[in-house]
Amino acid sequence: MMNRFVILLLVLFALVPPVTVCAESADQAYRKARESYYALQNSARKQMYREQWQKVFDRFQAVYERFPDTRRGGDALYMCGKTMAGLYNISRIEPDAERAVALFEDMARVYPASNLADDALLQAGELLEEALHDKTRAYRVYQRLVEILPRGDMHGKAKQRLQALAQYAPPSPPVAETPVIAEPEVAKGSDLATATESAARDDSLLSAIRFWSNPGYTRVVLDVTNEAHFSTHYLAADSNRQNPARLYIDIEGVGLDAALQEITRVDDGLLQQIRTGRPRPNTVRVVFDLESLGDYKVFPLNDPWRIVIDIAGDQAPVLKRDEVQITALPKTDQDAIARVLNQTPEAPPLLHLPKTPVVPALRRIVIDAGHGGKDPGAVGPSGVLEKDVTLKLAKALASELTRVIGCEVILTRSDDVYLPLEERTAIANKVGADLFVSLHANANRSRKAYGIETYYLNFSKNDKAAAVAARENGTTLQQVSDLELILFDLMANAKINESSRLAAAIQKSLVEGISRKYSNVRNLGVRQGPFYVLLGATMPSVLVETAFISHPREEKRLTSSAYQKSAARAIASAIKEYAISNNMIASR
């Protein structure tokens, strides 16, 4: 009887196809990988770390490699592409988009019978078209979808894109795996470089190029009248053709102000010059000829829309020019930043690094009054504006610093003018400031929130810090996550440790100083946050939230000259103690 039972079991196992067991394991592995993907999608914080995306990618890749002959193998390869495309949406790094395109194309080639093959090709085409701005390659991918997957549910969308991109149709049938080749640079005076502005949208224009040169770091801002797609490229130096290393940015669908067609000389040890041209109709290219490059970062800012380029050298350059360059901007009497820059000393200190070591000294502090002009900042219950409060605080602090330390104090603004956030840090870098302090008044939807807190530049550690950064940046929480990716690459150049110590000193002194004269003072501590106004500062820098303007009691205090003087005295005392402890000034 037992023998018959054993034989029966053997027969049953023999009748079960091996692929069934394999497919069941593939389903389980795929389900776990998909769960990790959805967990990542539901966590804005995890999305800002590349390693989190890589973990999800590795799980899908493992499913594909273990079960390539199952349906889940194709699904997993498709999700590899989708994960990499999601990473690109956060990082905005072109190689991520290129990798996603390759994965999607591989998936359609290896699994042409999968119901996701047409989805893969459509997403590959969209990435090529919108992220990589390679419309010819996009056309070929859409064409491949239409030709080999006529029954796919993405067939109609692909045909629509083919019609829209008809002008980019290749003259001959597409070849397999066309490599990406960098666009040749535009020679000045060529037909494309002198194309008429009618090729671009009438309401979108590259209107200005501004730059600030500093030791080891240069910031360039491209002002564009409307939001536009752009891509960043780097070309290594070509000794054979005697070409320097070049960084260039292509901005789609914009015109070019006539004043910007001339070459802008920089010669600051990092940048030789800035050139503009048209590599193709409806695209403006801005080329940066480099002398030295350690790292660079390119990111957009809103309201108004502009592109910020931070270039760090591999060694400290000797500056040949230290004045800010502004071209194609409004007349001086209408330009707030020009008026601010005119307040800098007639004979500022040399911005090059000395050849011999010198004793550290606190020579110059830049105080930034948050908001201003068309940007009122937070508004209190009785209508008090943050921009007015911060200006009074800044003037009080400047006076107190001059009295207790005796160093030079420069205000980013001395009246009610609007300054974009990136220009405030650039002013501090330009004048060679040793410290940068940005003053603000906090706000919260709850009228019950109150207290004092001080921030320094770093990744936000909690949702409240991210919310404060979003409000001060004038962005959304999602954009804060994008900024934190930028910070990830800039951390090595930021003075994080010095800034944290300065923030701690100011927070302690401010809470203690205010508590001596006022009751109900809450210490909210020192926090880290991704603030645009601190981004790129080459000196220790902090952002001080002096009180909650949204709280009725603290709003009233902020408008009091006595409170302003108390706050200024406490901050100045903290800066003095910080300077003494860091041997920036002598103890006396």
Side-chain angles (χ1 to χ4, degrees), residues 520-551:
N520 297 316
V521 176
R522 178 180 291 174
N523 183 357
L524 298 177
V526 174
R527 301 190 180 189
Q528 309 168 44
F531 294 90
Y532 281 137
V533 73
L534 303 179
L535 189 63
T538 57
M539 73 293 299
S541 55
V542 297
L543 184 147
V544 185
E545 298 282 7
T546 52
F548 275 76
I549 200 172
S550 56
H551 190 283

Side-chain angles (χ1 to χ4, degrees), residues 170-365:
S172 57
V175 296
E177 302 299 331
T178 304
V180 181
I181 301 175
E183 289 280 354
E185 294 198 13
V186 180
K188 188 171 180 61
S190 68
D191 292 339
L192 284 178
T194 57
T196 63
E197 294 302 321
S198 61
R201 288 167 45 199
D202 294 335
D203 61 343
S204 191
L205 186 73
L206 175 60
S207 60
I209 298 176
R210 297 171 285 137
F211 69 85
W212 294 263
S213 295
N214 312 280
Y217 158 84
T218 294
R219 168 166 286 182
V220 183
V221 176
L222 308 179
D223 289 316
V224 184
T225 54
N226 288 287
E227 183 173 349
H229 289 290
F230 69 92
S231 57
T232 306
H233 311 266
Y234 173 74
L235 294 176
D238 186 346
S239 57
N240 294 329
R241 301 178 60 183
Q242 296 183 335
N243 286 332
R246 287 147 291 167
L247 179 68
Y248 68 92
I249 296 176
D250 285 346
I251 311 173
E252 304 289 339
V254 300
L256 179 64
D257 191 290
L260 300 179
Q261 295 180 8
E262 297 297 324
I263 292 176
T264 301
R265 298 295 304 180
V266 180
D267 290 330
D268 66 356
L270 293 179
L271 275 176
Q272 294 179 11
Q273 61 187 13
I274 303 173
R275 298 178 285 125
T276 61
R278 284 195 175 280
R280 49 192 176 272
N282 212 31
T283 299
V284 169
R285 173 169 294 174
V286 183
V287 181
F288 305 90
D289 292 325
L290 304 170
E291 291 185 13
S292 172
L293 178 66
D295 194 11
Y296 69 90
K297 179 57 59 180
V298 181
F299 56 94
L301 294 179
N302 296 314
D303 193 26
W305 201 83
R306 67 270 195 205
I307 303 170
V308 180
I309 304 97
D310 281 342
I311 299 172
D314 55 7
Q315 58 185 357
V318 176
L319 301 188
K320 303 175 185 176
R321 176 183 298 171
D322 62 5
E323 71 274 11
V324 64
Q325 298 294 309
I326 301 178
T327 54
L329 285 180
K331 296 180 180 180
T332 303
D333 57 355
Q334 300 174 357
D335 183 15
I337 186 64
R339 292 200 299 272
V340 173
L341 290 172
N342 287 336
Q343 298 172 6
T344 56
E346 294 182 0
L350 295 177
L351 294 183
H352 65 269
L353 295 178
K355 295 182 180 179
T356 57
V358 298
V359 178
L362 180 58
R363 306 158 303 150
R364 182 173 293 107
I365 301 173

